[in-house]
Amino acid sequence: MFPHHREREQPIFSARAHVFQIDPNTKRNWIPASKHAVTVSFFYDANRNVYRIISVGGTKAIINCTVTPSMTFTKTSQKFGQWADSRANTVYGLGFATEQQLHQFLDKFKEVKDAARLAREKSQDKELANTALTIAAPQDLADELQSPPVMCVNGPEDKLFRSQSADITLSSEKERIKKMLSEGSICEMNLEAELFTLQDSNSKLVAALHEANANVEQWKKQLVAYQEETERLRDQVSELETHGGHGPSDLLKDELTQSLEELEALLKAKDEEIHILQSKKADYHEMEHDRNEAMHRLREMEMRNSDLERRIQNTEQNLGNSLEDRDRMDTEIQRAIEILDIKIFDLNDLRQSLVKLIDK
């Protein structure tokens, strides 16, 4: 039976890289799995205690790899690494933008690999304990299994037909529920990966915006100081032009004019930087809008999953009721068979008694 509450996989690390797969024919060349850099994330399933590497490109899962203790991530160049997935019978390659990102992914891969090894050891210990409990099962259960079956007339055929029909119905219901769960989990996984990427980008944009705001305040102060200096130099130039020969020489006037032009060019450059920062701020607002949309879609998906879980609970309840009805029907059939056996035995005794009476 399915659990009433299924814990979702949580992203624990994410990086952007170009994804490649080994050519299945030559086993030597790399085939690009994505046209551009995509998000590659580590996910942890607390319910099954399983780690996975997942990368989604659009609506297609590029990487869906369960991490095992036997896997090894190998750095083959300054910005490229690879690992083999025996279950998918392929080799994945990742190309990063910087060597630092490669080392971060490598460290996280080793950490997840060690965690997967510990999880497997705990699972093996648990299986050994269960095996020991199974060996120490009560003896009366073995005696019950070795007891001969009850002979009956015309009963097993009807009972077998009803059991097979109920098993087919239960199997079809289980397959339908598994399909519903798989579709919901894939959509939820895509939204969580997209939300994780947006949150990462949002945090970077927020940090850049705070830094830009601090720089803007500093540049505004410098701009005010430059404007005051420009006004002062302009007053000096005007004063020199008014007094003519009584002021400084023409050389000093040329130097002041050149300084004034340099300050105006600097002011123009600062204005352009301020415009660039304002455009980045607009990009931040757009990213915030995308994040809100992703949150809205994630809430809708959670509502849909809640509805699926409710429907699954109802289906499980109906299946349980069906099993109870079948068990009750089996009990009634068995009781009827036993009564028929007794009646047949009584009739047989009566027939023998009648034969004896006729013979006399």
Side-chain angles (χ1 to χ4, degrees), residues 160-173 323 326:
L160 180 60
F161 175 75
R162 294 176 181 270
S163 299
Q164 289 179 350
S165 178
D167 291 338
I168 293 173
T169 304
L170 293 177
S171 300
S172 61
E173 288 292 332
L323 289 174
R326 190 182 71 173

Side-chain angles (χ1 to χ4, degrees), residues 116-136:
R117 178 179 56 80
L118 293 176
R120 174 173 292 185
E121 292 176 354
K122 292 180 180 179
S123 176
Q124 291 176 351
D125 293 340
K126 186 176 180 181
E127 290 179 358
L128 290 175
N130 293 335
T131 304
L133 291 175
T134 305
I135 295 175

